[in-house]
């Protein structure tokens, strides 16, 4: 018995009467045994929880000084009493025993718990102490209605005043042998039922197992538990409430009430009610059968009259049958004729046309695929030709520029050669003139003094040498300036080439950045979905695949596909290891965008989806047909490479929810994934394929996409299969999200951005340096021009000096001085000419070197140009042949499209013809079926053939004309006979109509009569069983009642009147000293105690056949004196010790002091134990 755990839950507090709700945890605390205890400040017992916090006990212990006659524990400020937990009875608990009843805010109890013993539990207390509320709570929790409990018309009346709801918790024992317990594997050894009711009478039920876990919450489940445990809490013999006890123990009862109690206690009232209802329904069925029998008899009489009339017209039956056969044959003639035409049309539509259309579609797909391949090849060739043409044009421009330079150099060389020849001729002339003058001078010197001329010569030579020195210095400086200019020009050209290369690098990095940004954007749009890989964006496997999938899903929802297509395959594949991403993509990249269809019909629907999604302007996506019913291909072990090598199949995972075998079969059939090896590097690829260590595999891919394979001729091939823009892995990694690849791409993008920034900075630097170098070259060109002008000026100055010397010599007069001056002048002129010749020769030599360089450059460029021209012509020729092939392929595509359109047009024409013939055929066939079923046509044709003595054919026009002639003849004969004996058709129609009507009514009558007879027979048998069972129960109850009375020396008899539904009790009370008292038939003449004792014996006798695991009685000893009350107690305890498998709960307002005395009397019984009886006293 439990104290209230929280003062805040008490009703009647200020602020309203709230109710306390019991949680599952609270229920576990109520059921938990007492462990460790300590006292709080108020003296109440509390449990020590594992966390060290103090909490109220679920099962409080007894007070320190309990009374000697029982344990008392008070609820709140004195309330409830119970035995201490340490002294609980340890009897045998059985399935269906009541272990505990706990109530909150129920009737007068705020928080009340009572634990029962396994055998006998007495609860005593004054009137109004709430002991009867225990049985009311038990019945309420286990589903008894309020009217049966006698406490009002609604369960809301049980809620404590001032509260909103009440809680009742009943704990049932679920222990037992064999099948006694109810689902012990689910509930354990206890079943707890919680019933919460509110003031409106509504409520809820919760069923929990031994651990407090919720198992059920329906009355249906509760009724199953009660039926299994045989708990009849609504039976007055099992639970004898206060009202029932007082009624039967007082003078208010009568024989009819006792008989009703007998029927209710033995459940015979339910059986009788069911049988009575069935009897009433059976009587109604009998009345209906009699009415139906009259209808059947009337119809049978009419049937016999029609049959008799028909027998008179049997003489013309043969003619009518022959007429019918002819009509049947002629009725089906048109049907067969139109049917043959329809068969031809159906054969064309269902066999020939689809086959031709499929063939046309295959040819069209093959041609379109070939055209697409040719277009790709042509596009590659065109790009290569354009690239080669650009290079060739650059080369030609170089050759042209070089030729122009060569022409200019040649012209300059010819000019220099001509100038050199002229200078040499002039030099020869000057030398000859000087030689002649020297000869003349020597002759003059022999005859005169030459001292003055020598002085003049020295002066002249000094001036000339000074002028020539200045001119030579200027020419040297001009040469150095030109050399510096050439060096700077070479540096400028080198920087120009470097700038061009840097710009190309910038463009390449920008393209890489754009590709990486597109990959990141695609990754950002990705996400997982059910049954598919991380590539939620289907456009990764083909442009426009999102629209295609949307159209496919719409067709699937309309049921146009036999099986929903699987694809693209790449959406259902994942990588087990990202290490093999590029290798797998190189191996099966062309299959990732493929769709798999179940059959040809689904393929046609899929192509319609593609045309609808893409408008017919593009080629249909890759699609293959593979039956979805085909099981997963089992690859033989001899076709697999050694296990030390990874294969494409071993590193892939398929996540399709229903058709993963379809994906694997496609990859095995078309991609040979089971025999394609993956290697780490070039050496492993050579070892696996070229050296044959991975046989039977003939192809391998490394982690960069390079393929290793051996061709049919034994040629070993290793080449890169992936272009730079194909090195983005489109497959996800199993167990990995998009963030890893995205982070890698973002890191690469960051590095590319830094690289781009460095390239741009270098480009800007080179551009600035080139501008500076250009300005420097312009300055040097200006300096060279200045030096050239200075050289010309110095040459002019030298010429003027020579002229001045010449004039001075002329002023000096004729003779030797003049001749010497002329010789000196000639020497200067010769020196000048020789310098000029040397200068021209050096320039000519330089020009010849440049000419040789230009010629060699032109020759090499022309050779390269010729080679590139040949290559370009070959590419152009190849492109032209590809154009021709594309034109031929396009013609084939157009041809097959036209043929496909023609076939579809013809199919529409055939459909129209079929649509025209089908209604006619159905109409003719329906009319023919009304005349004769098709199964009887051949029999009718055989009969007519025998009559006409010839073989007839329904499809022969001449034979059908002969049949029409025979039909006319038969009709003429029948008309003649009808005039004589009446119409056979009318008679047959009337006869068949009556026959059918009679058969229908007979069948209906039989369908009703057969179950009626079975029900009636079964009902009679069950009434007999009921009477037998009632007699047996009557005998058992009478014998048990007499035995219960005889145990106390009394005698009793029960007299049943089933006809009047009364039960009379007659007793003979013992007068003591072995003397029998008088026989009393009227219970009212007995004293209150004797009448209560007799009624108690009667109630015990009634409950013998209930087989309920427990019985309860409230105020069983009312109206008894002390002697009879003691006798009643002894009777009950002896009954309890004789029935140890039945729990008894007894409530009384009287004192229980006699129990100890009676306990001593029954101690010798074999089933008695020390805790057989449990006493509970309610607080005052």
């Amino acid at each position: 018995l439990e104290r209230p755990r929280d003062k805040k839950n008490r009703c009647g507090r200020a602020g309203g009467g709230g109710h306390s709700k019991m949680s599952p945890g609270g229920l576990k605390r109520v059921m938990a045994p007492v462990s460790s205890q300590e006292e709080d400040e108020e003296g109440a017992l509390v449990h020590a929880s594992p966390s060290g916090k103090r909490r109220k006990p679920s099962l409080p212990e007894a007070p320190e000084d309990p009374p000697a006659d029982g344990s008392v524990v008070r609820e709140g400020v004195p309330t409830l009493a119970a035995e201490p937990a340490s002294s609980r009875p340890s009897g045998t608990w059985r399935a269906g025993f009541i272990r505990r009843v706990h109530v909150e805010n129920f009737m007068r109890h705020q928080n009340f718990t009572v634990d029962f013993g396994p055998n006998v539990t007495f609860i005593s207390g004054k009137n109004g102490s709430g002991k009867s509320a225990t049985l009311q709570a038990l019945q309420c929790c286990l589903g008894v209605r309020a009217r049966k409990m006698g406490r009002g018309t609604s369960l809301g009346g049980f809620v404590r005043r001032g509260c909103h709801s009440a809680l009742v918790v009943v704990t049932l024992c679920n222990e037992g042998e064999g099948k006694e317990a109810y689902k012990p594997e689910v509930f354990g050894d206890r079943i707890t039922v919680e019933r919460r009711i509110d003031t409106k009478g509504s409520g809820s039920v919760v069923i929990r197992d031994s651990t407090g876990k919720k198992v059920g919450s329906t009355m249906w489940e509760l009724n199953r538990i009660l039926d299994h445990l045989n708990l009849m809490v609504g039976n007055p013999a099992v639970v004898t409430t206060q009202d029932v006890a007082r009624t039967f123990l007082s003078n208010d009862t009568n024989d009819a009430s006792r008989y009703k109690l007998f029927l209710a206690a033995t459940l015979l009232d339910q059986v009788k009610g069911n049988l009575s209802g069935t009897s009433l329904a059976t009587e109604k069925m009998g009345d209906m059968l009699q009415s139906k029998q009259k209808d059947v008899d009337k119809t049978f009489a009419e049937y016999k009259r029609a049959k008799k009339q028909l027998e008179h017209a049997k003489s013309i039956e043969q003619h009518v049958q022959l007429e019918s056969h002819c009509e049947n044959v002629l009725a089906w003639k048109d049907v067969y004729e139109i049917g043959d035409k329809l068969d031809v049309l159906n054969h064309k539509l269902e066999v020939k046309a689809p086959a031709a259309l499929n063939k046309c579609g295959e040819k069209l797909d093959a041609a379109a695929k070939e055209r697409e391949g040719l277009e790709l090849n042509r596009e590659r060739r065109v790009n290569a030709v354009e690239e080669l043409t650009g290079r060739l044009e650059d080369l030609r421009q170089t050759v042209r520029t070089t030729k122009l330079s060569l022409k200019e150099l040649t012209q300059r060389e010819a000019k220099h050669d001509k100038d050199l020849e002229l200078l040499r001729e002039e030099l020869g002339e000057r030398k000859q003139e000087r030689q002649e003058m020297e000869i003349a001078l020597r002759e003059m010197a022999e005859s005169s003094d030459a001292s003055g001329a020598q002085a003049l010569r020295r002066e002249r030579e000094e001036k000339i040498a000074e002028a020539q020195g200045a001119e030579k210095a200027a020419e040297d400086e001009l040469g150095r300036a030109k050399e510096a200019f050439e060096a700077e020009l070479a540096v400028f050209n080198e920087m120009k080439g470097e700038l061009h290369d840097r710009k190309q690098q910038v463009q390449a990095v920008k393209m890489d950045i754009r590709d990486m940004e597109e990959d990141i954007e695609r990754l950002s749009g990705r996400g997982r979905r059910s049954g598919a890989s991380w590539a939620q964006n289907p456009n990764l496997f083909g442009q426009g695949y999102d629209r295609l999938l949307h159209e496919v899903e719409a067709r699937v929802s309309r049921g146009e596909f036999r099986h929903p297509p699987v694809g693209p395959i790449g959406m259902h594949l994942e990588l087990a290891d990202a290490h093999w991403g590029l290798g797998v993509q190189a191996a099966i990249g062309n299959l990732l965008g493929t769709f798999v269809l179940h059959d040809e019909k689904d393929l046609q629907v899929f192509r319609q989806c593609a045309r609808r999604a893409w408008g017919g302007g593009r080629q249909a996506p890759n699609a293959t047909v593979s039956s979805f019913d085909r099981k997963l291909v089992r690859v033989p072990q001899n076709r697999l490479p050694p296990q030390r090598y990874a294969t494409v199949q071993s590193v892939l995972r398929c996540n399709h929810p229903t058709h993963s075998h379809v994906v694997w079969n496609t990859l095995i059939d078309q991609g040979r994934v089971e025999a394609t090896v993956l290697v780490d590097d070039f050496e492993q690829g050579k070892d696996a394929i070229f050296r044959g260590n991975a046989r039977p595999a003939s192809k391998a891919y490394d982690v960069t996409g390079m393929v290793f394979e051996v061709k049919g001729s034994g040629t070993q091939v290793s080449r890169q299969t992936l272009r730079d823009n194909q090195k983005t892995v489109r497959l996800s990694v199993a167990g990995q999200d998009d963030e890893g690849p995205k982070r890698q791409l973002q890191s690469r993008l960051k590095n590319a951005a830094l690289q781009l920034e460095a390239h741009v900075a270098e480009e800007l630097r080179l551009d600035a340096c080139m501008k500076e170098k250009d300005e420097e070259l312009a300055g040097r060109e200006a300096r060279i021009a200045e030096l050239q002008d200075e050289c010309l000026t110095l040459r002019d100055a030298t010429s003027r000096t020579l002229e001045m010397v010449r004039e001075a010599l002329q002023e000096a007069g004729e003779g030797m001085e003049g001749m010497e001056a002329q010789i000196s002048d000639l020497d200067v002129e010769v020196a000048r000419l020789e310098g000029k010749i040397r200068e021209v020769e050096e320039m000519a030599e330089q020009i010849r070197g440049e000419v040789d360089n230009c010629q060699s450059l032109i020759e090499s460029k022309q050779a390269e140009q010729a080679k590139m021209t040949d290559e370009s012509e070959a590419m152009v020729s190849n492109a032209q042949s590809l154009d021709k092939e594309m034109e031929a392929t396009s013609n084939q595509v157009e041809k097959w499209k036209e043929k496909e359109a023609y076939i579809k047009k013809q199919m529409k024409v055939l459909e129209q013809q079929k649509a025209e013939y089908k209604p006619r055929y159905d109409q003719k066939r329906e009319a023919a079926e009304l005349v004769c079923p098709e199964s009887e046509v051949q029999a009718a044709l055989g009969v007519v053939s025998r009559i006409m003595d010839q073989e007839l054919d329904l499809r022969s026009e001449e034979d059908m004309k002969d049949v029409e002639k025979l039909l006319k003849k038969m009709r003429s004969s029948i008309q003649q006979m009808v005039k004589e004996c009446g119409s056979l058709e009318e008679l047959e129609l009337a006869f068949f109509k009556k026959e059918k009507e009679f058969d229908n009514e007979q069948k209906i009558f039989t369908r009703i009569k057969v179950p009626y007879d079975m029900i009636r027979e079964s009902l009679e048998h069950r009434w007999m069983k009921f009477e037998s069972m009632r007699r047996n129960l009557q005998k058992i109850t009478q014998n048990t009642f007499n035995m219960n009375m005889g145990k106390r020396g009394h005698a009793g008899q029960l007299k049943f009147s089933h006809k009047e539904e009364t039960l009379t009790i007659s007793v003979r009370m013992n007068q003591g000293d072995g003397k029998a008292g008088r026989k009393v038939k009227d219970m009212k003449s007995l004293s209150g105690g004797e009448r209560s004792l007799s009624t108690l014996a009667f109630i015990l006798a009634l409950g013998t056949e209930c087989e309920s695991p427990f019985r309860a009685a409230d105020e069983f000893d009312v109206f008894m004196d002390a002697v009879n009350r003691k006798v009643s107690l002894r009777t009950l305890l002896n009954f309890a010790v004789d029935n140890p498998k039945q729990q008894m709960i007894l409530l009384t307002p009287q004192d229980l002091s006699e129990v100890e005395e009676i306990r001593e009397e029954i101690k010798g019984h074999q089933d008695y134990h020390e805790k057989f009886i449990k006493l509970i006293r309610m607080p005052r």
Side-chain angles (χ1 to χ4, degrees), residues 735-770:
Q736 177 179 334
D737 57 8
D738 302 339
E739 294 302 321
K742 189 188 292 184
R743 284 194 296 271
Q744 294 178 2
L745 285 174
Q746 288 174 346
S747 176
R748 289 176 55 194
L749 180 62
K750 184 177 180 181
N751 294 334
L754 294 175
Q755 186 178 4
L756 177 62
E757 184 178 355
H759 287 329
V760 171
E762 182 66 18
E763 180 183 357
L764 294 175
R765 186 188 69 78
L766 289 173
D767 195 15
C769 291
M770 284 185 64

Side-chain angles (χ1 to χ4, degrees), residues 3-168:
R3 293 172 183 248
R5 289 187 291 275
D6 191 354
K7 293 182 180 180
K8 293 182 180 180
N9 291 334
R10 296 180 183 177
C11 299
R13 282 182 59 87
H19 66 277
S20 63
K21 184 176 181 180
M22 191 173 191
S23 63
L27 178 62
K28 292 182 181 179
R29 291 195 296 273
V30 171
M31 297 175 63
V34 177
S35 55
S36 59
Q37 304 165 349
E38 56 183 8
E39 292 187 4
D40 60 5
E41 296 177 356
E42 298 177 359
L45 292 176
V46 297
H47 287 284
S49 63
S51 61
K53 296 180 180 181
R54 297 164 62 84
R55 59 183 178 87
K56 296 288 182 168
S58 299
L59 297 173
E61 296 293 338
E64 295 180 359
D65 298 319
D69 57 350
S71 307
V72 178
V73 176
R74 300 189 182 277
E75 176 185 0
V77 185
T79 341
L80 191 58
E83 287 187 347
S86 60
S87 62
R88 287 179 182 171
S90 60
T92 302
W93 288 92
R94 308 185 71 85
F97 283 12
I98 309 299
R99 277 188 173 271
R100 172 178 291 177
V101 174
H102 171 79
V103 296
E104 294 181 8
N105 301 329
F106 186 85
M107 298 181 68
R108 71 177 299 276
H109 295 291
Q110 179 182 1
N111 195 324
F112 173 81
T113 305
V114 58
D115 292 316
F116 300 100
N119 298 106
V120 180
T121 300
F122 283 97
I123 300 177
S124 69
K126 297 298 182 179
N127 291 332
S129 63
K131 62 182 183 302
S132 299
T134 305
L135 290 186
Q136 302 291 336
L138 177 64
Q139 288 183 307
C140 174
C141 185
L142 297 184
V144 180
R145 297 182 180 275
R147 293 181 183 275
K148 283 194 173 183
M149 292 186 283
R151 292 285 181 146
T153 60
S154 173
L155 295 177
F158 292 109
V159 180
R160 187 179 181 187
R161 182 176 301 173
C163 298
H164 298 292
S165 64
L167 175 67
V168 181

Side-chain angles (χ1 to χ4, degrees), residues 981-1021:
C981 59
S983 174
L984 180 62
E985 292 180 352
E986 294 177 357
L987 294 175
E988 284 182 344
L989 182 62
F991 171 73
F992 289 141
K993 184 177 179 181
K994 289 299 177 182
E995 184 181 26
K996 186 176 181 180
E997 185 178 353
F998 173 70
D999 288 342
N1000 290 337
E1001 292 186 0
Q1002 185 70 21
K1003 289 178 182 178
I1004 294 173
F1005 179 77
T1006 304
R1007 284 199 299 267
I1008 298 175
K1009 190 173 186 308
V1010 170
Y1012 169 75
D1013 293 340
M1014 293 174 63
I1015 293 173
R1016 187 178 60 181
E1017 182 180 355
S1018 176
L1019 184 61
E1020 292 175 356
H1021 178 71

Side-chain angles (χ1 to χ4, degrees), residues 557-748:
S557 63
R558 295 198 296 267
E560 297 185 21
F561 286 98
R562 295 182 180 176
H563 286 280
V566 174
I569 289 178
M571 293 181 65
H572 307 291
L573 293 177
E574 292 179 339
L575 289 169
D577 188 354
H579 177 69
W580 305 108
L582 291 178
V584 172
Q585 185 157 310
I588 62 170
N590 58 333
L591 292 176
L592 296 181
T594 301
F595 288 80
V596 186
L597 288 310
H598 174 64
D599 53 17
E600 293 295 336
K601 180 180 179 298
D602 286 356
L603 180 60
Q604 294 296 329
V605 178
F606 178 74
R607 287 173 177 162
Q608 294 174 8
C609 292
R611 286 193 290 271
R612 178 71 177 267
W614 295 338
R618 289 179 50 186
Q619 181 188 353
N622 293 336
T624 182
V625 176
S626 178
S627 175
F628 288 15
D629 300 330
R630 178 187 175 195
K631 296 182 179 179
L632 179 65
V633 175
R634 299 296 179 186
V635 182
Q637 191 66 30
N638 58 0
R639 286 180 52 189
L640 298 176
Q643 293 184 356
R644 66 177 180 273
Y645 289 103
T647 63
V648 176
Q649 185 179 11
S650 65
V651 302
L652 284 177
R653 301 291 182 267
C654 180
N655 56 18
H656 197 283
T658 57
H659 293 95
S660 60
H661 64 285
V662 176
V663 177
W664 284 122
N665 290 342
T666 304
L667 292 175
I668 291 172
D669 293 342
Q670 301 188 18
R672 296 201 63 196
V673 294
E674 81 285 0
T676 302
V677 175
L678 298 173
V679 295
D680 288 318
D681 50 31
F682 184 81
E683 291 299 326
Q684 286 191 9
K686 288 170 55 179
D687 181 70
I689 302 301
F690 297 161
R691 298 188 181 96
N693 292 331
R695 291 177 181 170
S698 62
K699 186 180 290 187
Y701 292 86
D702 69 357
V703 294
T704 65
M706 179 174 286
V707 63
F708 304 86
E709 59 181 335
V710 178
K711 297 293 185 179
S713 60
T715 305
Q716 297 178 353
V717 178
S718 60
R719 57 186 174 84
Q720 178 58 253
T721 59
L722 296 177
R723 297 192 298 270
D724 292 339
N725 60 351
Q726 294 177 331
K727 291 188 178 181
T728 300
V729 180
R730 292 180 287 171
L731 294 178
S732 66
V733 181
Q736 177 179 334
D737 57 8
D738 302 339
E739 294 302 321
K742 189 188 292 184
R743 284 194 296 271
Q744 294 178 2
L745 285 174
Q746 288 174 346
S747 176
R748 289 176 55 194

Side-chain angles (χ1 to χ4, degrees), residues 776-792:
E776 185 177 352
L777 287 173
R780 288 188 181 275
E781 285 180 348
R783 177 59 179 165
I784 289 172
E786 290 176 359
L787 290 174
Q788 287 176 347
D789 293 341
E790 186 178 352
C791 287
L792 292 175

